[in-house]
Structures are given as C-alpha cells and as structure tokens.
C-alpha cells in the first residue's frame, strides 16, 4: 500500500495543494500530540457554493490517514449548522497527569494530551456559536462539539450529525451489525449502513485504527454508515434526534491508533481518559471478582451453588432470570422472590462464607420498579445487579442507563448491563459499572475465529461479559481455549461456568487455574496478536502473571518470551494446554522452572488455547522449585 508521508511542514504543504484542488483553505488549526506522532487538523474552508465549511484531517506517524471530513449538524426546525462559519476564538493547553483507577487492566493510566478549544460563529443569522474541542494523544485523537451558553441559541434539536471519517485509502474494516452480531472483514467501500462501534480498521499490514465514542450519557448512540459520493468514507449515523440546551456537549468522537494489532488491547483505557474522574467519595464497597450463575432457582439449588463457589474460590453467585418469576410477565415482581427461593436465607448463608449475591432484573421491572428495588436490594444485602434486555440507542435510553448506574451507586450496588449496551468510559466516573455485554459471547457459542476477532474489535472499548463456559457440550472451542479466554477477555466481574452446573465438576485438576484466576490487573501486555487469527495476552497481579493464548480454527504454535518477568528471579510456570483426545477434559498440565530469558511454546489445537499461571518459585505450592526443572524451557 502506498502512503502519503507528512512531516510537520508537509502538513502545511498538503493543505496548500488541497486548496488548489477545490477546497480553498481559509484557516487551519493543527493540534499535535505530545510526541508529535498524531496531528488532528481542523480547517475552515470554502467548498464550492458552501462558504465557511468545517472539515478536519488526521495524520499518524507522518501518514495522512483521514482526509477532508465534514463537521456539523442538521437541525430540526432550524437552519443547519454546517457552513457560513467564521473563526471566533481559540485556546490551547497541555495536560499531563496520571490517574489511578480503583481497578482496571493496569494500575495507572497516563493522561497526556494537547488540547485545543476552537470557536466558530456563523457569519449570517442566526449567528450561532459552535465550539470544536480537540485532544491529541500519542495513541490517538478525540474531538467533540460544544454549545456554550449564548443568547442566539436556546433549546434546540439535533436532527442528524454530519461528522465524517473519510479514510485516505480503501482500507479493510471489521463490520458488525447488532452488538451481538458476527464480524465481516471487507473494504470500506463495501460497508453497509449502521455499522456498530467500536469499528476497527486495518491500515495496511500492521497499523490499525478503531473508531469509537466516549462519554455517551445524554445523547443518541452513534453508528457508522457509508457517505454517498465518497468511496471510502463513513459518517456518524445517530440512533435518533437529540434534544439539548446550552451549555451542552456531544460525546467524544474517538480515533484510537496503533502500530500493531495488539496496541488496541494495550490502549483499552483510552475511553476512560475521556470521562470525568470518579464521582464516588467512598468506593471501598466495590469488589471485583469471579461469578457463577445459578440456574437452579430454589433454596436447595442456591445452597449447592454457594457451596461450589466457596470450594472453588468464586466470589459471587448470581441468580439469573426467573428468580422472581417469568421475566417478561407483567405480574412478575422483582421485589418478591419465588416461594421456593428463600433469598434472605441464601444471602445470609453466602455472607457467612464470604460469598456475595447478584440478582438479575429484566427491563420490565427496571423501568417500573428501579427506585424501589435498588434500596430494597441494599437492605437485603445484595452486592450486584445485572440489568437485562435494556433499551439502547435513543438519547432517552442512554440517559436512563447512565442515571440508573448512578442510582445503583447511591445504594452501594455494582452493575452488569447485559444485551446491547457497550461501554463509553462511564466506569471511570462510576466504577460500580463493572462490566457489560454488548458482545457475541458464549450465550451464542461463537466459533473460535470470532473469538480471535473480539480482543481487537470489541475490547478496545472496555470490559465485556463474555460468559466463559467449561463443561457444556455446546462449545465450539476446546476447554483450554476457555481457560485462556478468561485472561484474554477483561471483565472485573468475570462469569465462569455460564452453561455449567456444580454436578459437572469431576475433580478436574485444571480447575486450579480458575481458582487462582484474578479479574483485575496491575499491568497488561500483548505478546502476539493478529485480528481474527490469534491473541496472546499477559496480565500481572502482584507478583503473579497470567497468560492467555487463543487461536482460530487453525492449530498454531506461538512463542511466548517471558521478558516481562523480573530479571534474575526464578518462577514456576503452570501451563494448561490442549491435551490428547483420550484425556478426560482434554487439558494437559505441565509445570516448568522459568525466568525472564525463557521462551515458552504455546501449542494450540484447532479452535484451541493455552493458559498459564506464572508465580515466583519461592511461593510455588510450598514445594521445592527444583522439581519443575525441565531442559525444554529453563535457561
């Protein structure tokens, strides 16, 4: 693929020649990242008969990646906000700090960017003021629209957003429709309407881009649709109109960039950076952990699951749909458990065993009983609530969800939002929003190729409740693949054994991996990864490291260098890989002495995986590390 190379001076030359080709540049406003690798350029131009049009360009590592792309709005019952602009004012500032979330995929997040606030006013009536706020980070760029308080603009309704993403070449993209849909890899020119975000784009062999939105809490959801007349451009396609009054801001339009596919995973805190800091004075009650779903919804069944959770170091038992009756029937009351489910007894029984209880609530009850059930559940001693079949898309729906998460925080309840909701970074402000679905996970039992796409397409936006399974014969992957997925797929509330039940367990020794598994991390590193083929992710918790490797339908061997380990220290690697067909659960367990110079070969069967737990040798099961010495791996 040929590339358009741009130095800082080259950007100005490019803009000059662009003016000779039909878009006369009146004024341009470049906003470069701290390391100068990203440059977002806002331009005020004349385009044919349209005077004072706002467009932008984006450059990455001196490559032009997004060309002339429109900015603005169509308004309802008012003239459009798309041209007749003149420059009014601008401000720039440098921001550099580090924030420490209470949990995450890494202990700290560096929040370093250059920001510009650029004001434009219409030259004719109604003379409205529109502000474009731009932030350029070393790992990408973000911009949003703001409407400051102004006498010329009172209440207004946005009919549609004109934001474009006009890619410089006909790159390959991963298209998905419906947030639990399959992905299709195709050229941008072949895109169909209403593609979901995050939307990942391959810019050649290695560089990648992911288009997302951040701080979506009072606005309509953005999908992406083709632009008529532009062969490889996408435009914002809102799920409905937006009612607003100044001061008002749109969500951030986000463009995450990377040199290699794995960067999209390592930079998955990007949306958090674009949201306000934590709003909770006390967050000590928020406890990430592992969860098992109870499907035997009576008192004896609940006890069985709680006992299993205690034995296997699972932190929460979740009572899923049906605990208060058929979830879609109007007579089902989320304030009243079924007669054969003694929930107060089970909550107390679990508490004595240091197990928390989570409850599912369907949309019907959420919409009519939310303000009653949240304080009621707190009184009962419930720790988390899973919202089911929520409405997603309209401004009203997105605002309701954000407000519901805030109300849950007031009642000291963690939240898992299921079905179509996808994160936009709200968990930074309200970290009681632990996870969400918005993924084609194991409720659908996708093929391994789909699993290998997800880390680079869905997970750049944040946590996903993939509902890990292990025993069910519905799986299309190996069991080692499921073990590894619990590391590859980040979720602070990590559901395990989704379609399984305690009686499925037959003393399988590899369960020690789930028992020792953590759900939040001090550091995350991508060892290897290619979209749709494979992913190898290493995550640190204290002195331990966990590694998850998954592959598509092709058998594969990946080299896993352990350079992330502390030098001159000895570790024991517990390796769980695809075993022989004659093995009971088909998982092979090996243990080796390793150090930072070791390279482990992760051998994976078709649709398989390999999971590892690497611990300091001094703490390895209180046994002598010498028993683990193996010439294949030790150095």
């Amino acid at each position: 693929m040929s590339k358009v190379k741009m130095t800082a001076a080259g950007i100005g030359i490019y803009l000059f020649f662009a003016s000779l080709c039909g878009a006369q540049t009146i004024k341009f406003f470049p906003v470069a990242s701290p390391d100068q690798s990203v440059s977002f350029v806002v331009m005020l131009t004349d385009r044919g008969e349209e005077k004072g049009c706002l467009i932008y360009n984006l450059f990455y590592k001196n490559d032009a990646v997004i060309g002339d792309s429109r900015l603005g709005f169509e308004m309802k019952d008012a003239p459009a906000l798309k041209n007749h602009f003149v420059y009014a004012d601008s401000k720039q500032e440098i921001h550099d700090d580090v924030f420490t979330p209470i949990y995450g995929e890494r202990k700290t997040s560096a929040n370093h960017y250059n920001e510009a606030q650029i004001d434009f006013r219409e030259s004719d009536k109604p003379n409205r003021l529109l502000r474009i706020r731009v932030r350029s980070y070393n790992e990408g760029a973000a911009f949003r629209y703001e409407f400051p308080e102004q006498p010329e603009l009172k209440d207004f309704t946005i009919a549609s957003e004109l934001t474009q993403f006009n890619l410089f070449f006909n790159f390959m993209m991963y298209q998905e429709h419906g947030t639990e849909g399959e992905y299709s890899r195709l050229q941008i020119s072949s895109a169909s309407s209403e593609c979901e975000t995050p939307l990942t784009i391959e810019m050649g062999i290695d560089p990648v881009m992911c288009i997302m939105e951040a701080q979506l809490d009072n606005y309509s959801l953005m999908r992406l649709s083709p632009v008529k007349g532009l062969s490889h451009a996408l435009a914002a396609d809102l799920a409905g109109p937006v009612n607003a009054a100044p001061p008002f801001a749109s969500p951030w339009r986000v463009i995450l960039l990377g040199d290699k596919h794995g960067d999209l995973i390592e930079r998955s805190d990007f949306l958090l950076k674009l949201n306000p800091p934590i709003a909770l004075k006390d967050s000590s009650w928020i406890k990430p952990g592992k969860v098992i779903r109870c499907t035997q919804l009576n008192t004896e069944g609940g006890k069985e699951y709680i006992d299993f959770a205690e034995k296997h170091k699972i932190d929460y038992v979740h009572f899923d749909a049906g605990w208060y009756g058929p979830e879609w029937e109007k007579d089902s009351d989320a304030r009243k458990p079924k007669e054969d489910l003694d929930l107060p007894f089970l909550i107390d029984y679990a508490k004595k065993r240091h197990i928390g209880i989570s409850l599912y609530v369907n949309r019907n009850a959420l919409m009519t009983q939310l303000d009653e059930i949240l304080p009621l559940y707190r009184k009962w001693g419930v720790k988390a609530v899973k919202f089911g079949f929520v409405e997603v898309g309209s401004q009203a729906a997105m605002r309701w969800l954000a407000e519901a998460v805030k109300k849950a925080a007031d009642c000291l309840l963690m939240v898992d939002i299921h079905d179509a909701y996808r994160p936009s970074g709200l968990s930074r402000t309200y970290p009681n929003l632990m996870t969400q679905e918005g993924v084609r996970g194991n409720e659908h039992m996708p093929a391994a190729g789909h699993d290998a796409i997800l880390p680079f397409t869905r997970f750049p936006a944040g946590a996903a409740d993939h509902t890990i399974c292990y025993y069910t014969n519905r799986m299309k992957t190996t069991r080692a693949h499921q073990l590894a997925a619990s590391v590859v797929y980040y979720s602070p509330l990590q559901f395990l054994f989704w379609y399984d039940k305690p009686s499925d367990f037959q003393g399988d020794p590899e369960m020690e991996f789930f028992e020792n598994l953590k759900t939040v991390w001090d550091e995350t590193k991508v060892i290897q990864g290619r979209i749709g083929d494979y992913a190898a992710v290493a995550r640190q918790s204290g002195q331990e490291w966990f590694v998850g490797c998954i592959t598509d339908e092709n058998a594969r061997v990946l080299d896993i260098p352990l350079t992330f380990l502390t030098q001159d220290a000895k570790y024991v690697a517990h390796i769980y890989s695809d075993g022989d067909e004659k093995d009971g659960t088909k998982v092979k367990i090996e243990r080796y002495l390793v150090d930072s110079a070791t390279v482990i070969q992760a051998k994976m069967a078709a649709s398989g995986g390999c999971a590892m737990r690497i611990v300091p040798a001094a703490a390895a099961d209180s046994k002598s590390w010498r028993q683990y010495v193996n010439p294949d791996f030790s150095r």
Side-chain angles (χ1 to χ4, degrees), residues 1-11 13-14 59-65 168-169 207:
M1 181 191 75
S2 61
K3 294 184 178 181
V4 179
K5 290 287 184 180
M6 292 288 166
T7 62
I11 293 174
I13 296 172
Y14 163 77
F59 303 86
Y60 180 56
K61 299 285 181 76
N62 299 325
D63 291 337
V65 293
F168 233 97
F169 297 96

Side-chain angles (χ1 to χ4, degrees), residues 604-615:
M604 297 177 283
S607 301
C610 179
M612 308 177 198
R613 175 178 173 240
I614 305 174
V615 299

